[in-house]
Amino acid sequence: MSHPRAPELDNQYRSDRVLQTWLHQHLPVDMRQAIEADLDALGAHAAQAWHEARSRTPQKPVLTQWDAWGERIDRIESTPVWQNGAVMAARYGLVAAGHELQFGEFARCDQFLRVYLHHIASEFHTCPLAMTDGAATALKASGNHELIERALPRLTAREADRLWLSGQWMTERIGGSDVGNSETEARRDEQGQWRLYGRKWFTSAVIGEMALTLARPQGAAEGADALAMFQLETRDAEGRWNGIRIDRLKDKLGTHELPTAEIHLDGALATPVGGLDHGVRLIAPMLNVTRTWNAVCALATMRRCIVLATAYARQREAFGRPLIEHPLHVATLADMQAEFEVAFQLVMQVAHLLGRSERGLASQRDAALLRLLTPLAKLWTGKLAVRIASETCEAFGGAGYIENTGIPQLLRDAQVYPIWEGTTNVLSLDALRAISSVGFEPLLEAAAALLDEADASDAAARMEWPLREIRAALVTIREWLPRQAANKEAMQAGARGLAMSLARTFAAALACRNATRAVAGRIDARAAQSLTRFIALGLTELRPFDPSRAIDLLEPASR
Ligand code: MFK
């Protein structure tokens, strides 16, 4: 019997059937040819980075606050992979590709496929890149020409020495979700320039050249509407910190390479991006972009977990045969694969809709779908990545609990996806906000249209069962919603179940349409098998809730 070995990775672009099928089905041939060399290089880099990371001691960034002579310097030394982060970002256009015009409505697809392949190898350098992309998007939407002219070419640069990274500094001690409570104040100095004073409690990209942040102009009212969005550059022309002190780096469960910092703003020079209020509304385009990054990166974690667990199952023997030959083990892995495959379809649909919308090609229904699907994709994939990463640890047995196999890191890092950029509950409530602004009909109608298209395909006969199940789930959702609508509290209590149901059902409809195309075109017969398995896991999670009774289940407050 052979001893267990470390699982190995091959080129992560070439071996990814789901990605290959998606490319084949969705992208014009000339575009595919144009981007293939980059995707291939990123796939090779991903494999190489995995093997290199296993052969060195993990490092964390180091903050040095004072120099030998007592001068405050607040210098952060990044890990080696991060030191090369800007070079990789610029070379492969990880931000730029989403903003360039050559691929029209597919620009975001191009970009997010690159991000998907690079994310794990980047050791979460994708986090500041997400915020950089979000900042570029929010600045464009603001119409502030001066700032756009100054910052946009840098945020989307293809040259590493010109590339700016941007932070998104929203979170304060008083709350991460309830941004309306922000205490940071903006005051005008004697020259009439705005300066920021306050404390930001989680800043993920303090190493960047700029940030978008929220602050309350002095004398403004309380609440979210009175917050303004500001842009600031982190250093002055001489390279000194712009009124920023780094208090410490966070000691986190995961994402250890990421220098998340607590900072004080002590007179940081800043520029209002729009008016002096409605900062949350102004920063929303950034949130929606970073939430899409979050979903793409969650997919990357899922795929990496499944590839490693499957590779291990092929070589690890137990009870006289490889794990892959044990029915229960292989069923567990197949369930993970099925969930990943369907989630992949949803996330890439969000990427495509974002691209269509940014190129002015989105119909009213596309725009409504984008608003609805963005929080759904983020919240579902965040939770799914944690579940798959946890199952992966288990699939490795004891080795999955040993730090230097690299497996526990996948789980620790995955736990950030449901927290970053709004927790599952905050995103579920955002989905309700979206439903109340655009209705849920666009989503149900679009799902029905996808199923009709699938139904009309020659391959539909083999897909009859999934079609019926997805249609039934749509009916369940349609009937559930009006029953809850009368009671706002019950609606909120059920928001997570509703969001998960909408995400899973819409994703299944999309996967169904794509699978019939794949089967009919003889591109990928396994796509239909995955969908069948996914549907067997269940589409809806709707339950009636009575929030007044829920609290009775909990222990009373301790004295
Ligand atoms: C590798 C992956 C990379 C991912 C990047 C990682 C970086 C991680 C760093 C972070 O996690 S940064 C912190 C992220 N923080 C959040 O995501 C905040 C979570 N909280 C929320 O999202 C709250 O729901 C929110 C702050 C938006 C609620 O605030 P309010 O004050 O209750 O907002 P309100 O009144 O509902 O909305 C204000 C306006 O914004 C409204 O527009 P109007 O003024 O026109 O009425 C909303 O419609 C609009 N809005 C809110 N969310 C929106 C939106 N518009 C479009 N899309 C949305 N998602």
Side-chain angles (χ1 to χ4, degrees):
M1 194 164 100
S2 60
H3 292 289
R5 298 183 313 274
E8 292 185 2
L9 292 183
D10 49 13
N11 181 310
Q12 290 299 286
Y13 165 67
R14 293 184 197 174
S15 64
D16 192 334
R17 171 183 56 83
V18 179
L19 165 61
Q20 296 286 348
T21 302
W22 192 93
L23 280 170
H24 199 90
Q25 287 188 317
H26 293 86
L27 295 190
V29 179
D30 54 344
M31 175 178 170
R32 244 167 42 217
Q33 287 167 348
I35 65 174
E36 179 151 40
D38 274 4
L39 298 185
D40 197 48
L42 285 167
H45 177 74
Q48 190 192 345
W50 164 257
H51 296 122
E52 282 173 7
R54 303 284 71 73
S55 63
R56 62 175 143 75
T57 310
Q59 290 182 354
K60 290 183 177 182
V62 177
L63 168 65
T64 305
Q65 288 172 310
W66 306 95
D67 75 4
W69 312 103
E71 284 298 315
R72 184 87 193 224
I73 50 171
D74 288 350
R75 191 183 64 229
I76 295 176
E77 199 179 325
S78 300
T79 58
V81 169
W82 272 60
Q83 285 168 23
N84 198 37
V87 171
M88 290 297 287
R91 180 182 302 155
Y92 292 103
L94 298 174
V95 177
H99 295 265
E100 290 167 351
L101 300 177
Q102 60 176 328
F103 296 129
E105 65 182 283
F106 296 110
R108 288 293 187 176
C109 297
D110 175 22
Q111 174 194 22
F112 283 122
L113 292 173
R114 291 162 188 265
V115 171
Y116 164 73
L117 286 169
H118 186 52
H119 169 59
I120 305 279
S122 86
E123 298 185 348
F124 280 71
H125 189 258
T126 37
C127 167
L129 298 181
M131 292 186 282
T132 301
D133 186 1
T137 309
L139 284 182
K140 278 186 195 170
S142 75
N144 183 326
H145 298 297
E146 211 173 305
L147 272 181
I148 292 173
E149 214 167 288
R150 176 161 172 76
L152 197 61
R154 292 173 163 97
L155 296 171
T156 57
R158 286 245 186 197
E159 306 80 32
D161 53 359
R162 224 162 72 88
L163 180 67
W164 271 9
L165 295 182
S166 175
Q168 168 202 20
W169 299 348
M170 286 173 65
T171 309
E172 301 200 359
R173 235 181 116 201
I174 203 153
S177 300
D178 191 359
V179 171
N181 279 329
S182 295
E183 293 172 328
T184 297
E185 192 171 61
R187 300 178 210 150
R188 275 189 195 275
D189 65 14
E190 284 162 4
Q191 284 77 44
Q193 293 176 308
W194 287 99
R195 292 186 177 272
L196 306 186
Y197 298 84
R199 192 174 186 191
K200 296 288 176 182
W201 192 238
F202 282 91
T203 57
S204 292
V206 76
I207 51 148
E209 284 75 11
M210 66 162 259
L212 294 183
T213 188
L214 298 178
R216 196 175 308 282
Q218 193 171 27
E222 291 187 352
D225 289 353
L227 289 171
M229 179 166 84
F230 288 86
Q231 184 260 8
L232 62 81
E233 289 174 24
T234 52
R235 307 259 180 182
D236 66 17
E238 276 75 48
R240 290 175 304 224
W241 285 108
N242 166 23
I244 296 169
R245 274 201 329 270
I246 304 182
D247 296 330
R248 60 177 163 173
L249 299 184
K250 296 283 197 188
D251 187 8
K252 295 166 294 174
L253 172 66
T255 66
H256 289 163
E257 296 83 1
L258 179 58
T260 310
E262 286 170 26
I263 64 171
H264 263 95
L265 300 175
D266 190 12
L269 206 56
T271 311
V273 178
L276 288 176
D277 53 12
H278 293 295
V280 174
R281 188 196 298 166
L282 284 173
I283 214 164
M286 180 173 203
L287 285 181
N288 289 330
V289 165
T290 49
R291 285 170 184 175
T292 308
W293 278 73
N294 205 94
V296 170
C297 294
L299 278 184
T301 290
M302 291 180 219
R303 152 98 180 143
R304 176 59 58 88
C305 286
I306 295 166
V307 169
L308 291 171
T310 308
Y312 191 66
R314 289 190 192 286
Q315 50 110 334
R316 171 71 163 148
E317 285 184 19
F319 304 106
R321 50 188 172 155
L323 288 177
I324 200 90
E325 291 176 19
H326 289 273
L328 181 54
H329 193 74
V330 82
T332 307
L333 297 182
D335 285 347
M336 291 154 66
Q337 175 74 22
E339 297 251 26
F340 157 72
E341 284 198 31
V342 176
F344 187 97
Q345 311 303 319
L346 179 66
V347 175
M348 288 312 296
Q349 179 72 2
V350 173
H352 187 196
L353 286 169
L354 180 61
R356 282 182 69 75
S357 154
E358 290 176 336
R359 295 293 167 271
L361 299 169
S363 64
Q364 222 176 346
R365 187 165 88 180
D366 286 344
L369 263 184
L370 177 63
R371 178 67 186 95
L372 290 161
L373 291 179
T374 304
L376 297 180
K378 192 282 185 188
L379 71 90
W380 178 39
T381 54
K383 281 293 200 204
L384 196 49
V386 176
R387 191 142 54 77
I388 287 180
S390 170
E391 200 67 72
T392 298
C393 290
E394 217 174 311
F396 276 84
Y401 206 63
I402 297 300
E403 199 54 59
N404 63 358
T405 60
I407 306 301
Q409 184 181 350
L410 290 165
L411 176 60
R412 285 191 280 99
D413 288 350
Q415 185 58 63
V416 86
Y417 300 128
I419 295 174
W420 261 352
E421 298 299 331
T423 60
T424 310
N425 284 355
V426 165
L427 269 286
S428 300
L429 296 176
D430 187 52
L432 278 191
R433 191 195 279 113
I435 289 172
S436 70
S437 95
V438 300
F440 75 124
E441 288 301 329
L443 196 146
L444 299 186
E445 281 168 13
L450 289 164
L451 295 176
D452 288 345
E453 188 191 321
D455 221 353
S457 155
D458 289 344
R462 272 176 279 166
M463 310 280 294
E464 194 187 328
W465 176 77
L467 274 163
R468 207 173 50 237
E469 291 293 315
I470 303 168
R471 285 199 201 281
L474 287 173
V475 171
T476 307
I477 294 169
R478 197 182 280 282
E479 286 173 355
W480 184 88
L481 213 51
R483 280 208 304 273
Q484 310 298 312
N487 182 341
K488 200 171 161 218
E489 299 269 302
M491 188 75 181
Q492 288 197 3
R496 188 194 280 213
L498 174 65
M500 290 291 181
S501 305
L502 285 170
R504 293 179 73 83
T505 306
F506 186 84
L510 195 58
C512 187
R513 194 276 311 267
N514 292 349
T516 46
R517 284 184 183 177
V519 170
R522 299 186 189 285
I523 307 166
D524 182 2
R526 277 154 63 194
Q529 282 169 265
S530 272
L531 174 64
T532 302
R533 195 161 191 102
F534 176 79
I535 290 170
L537 292 168
L539 293 179
T540 56
E541 299 179 14
L542 295 167
R543 285 165 293 170
F545 280 97
D546 181 347
S548 62
R549 296 218 191 110
I551 200 156
D552 296 340
L553 290 175
L554 307 177
E555 297 295 334
S558 54
R559 269 171 289 153

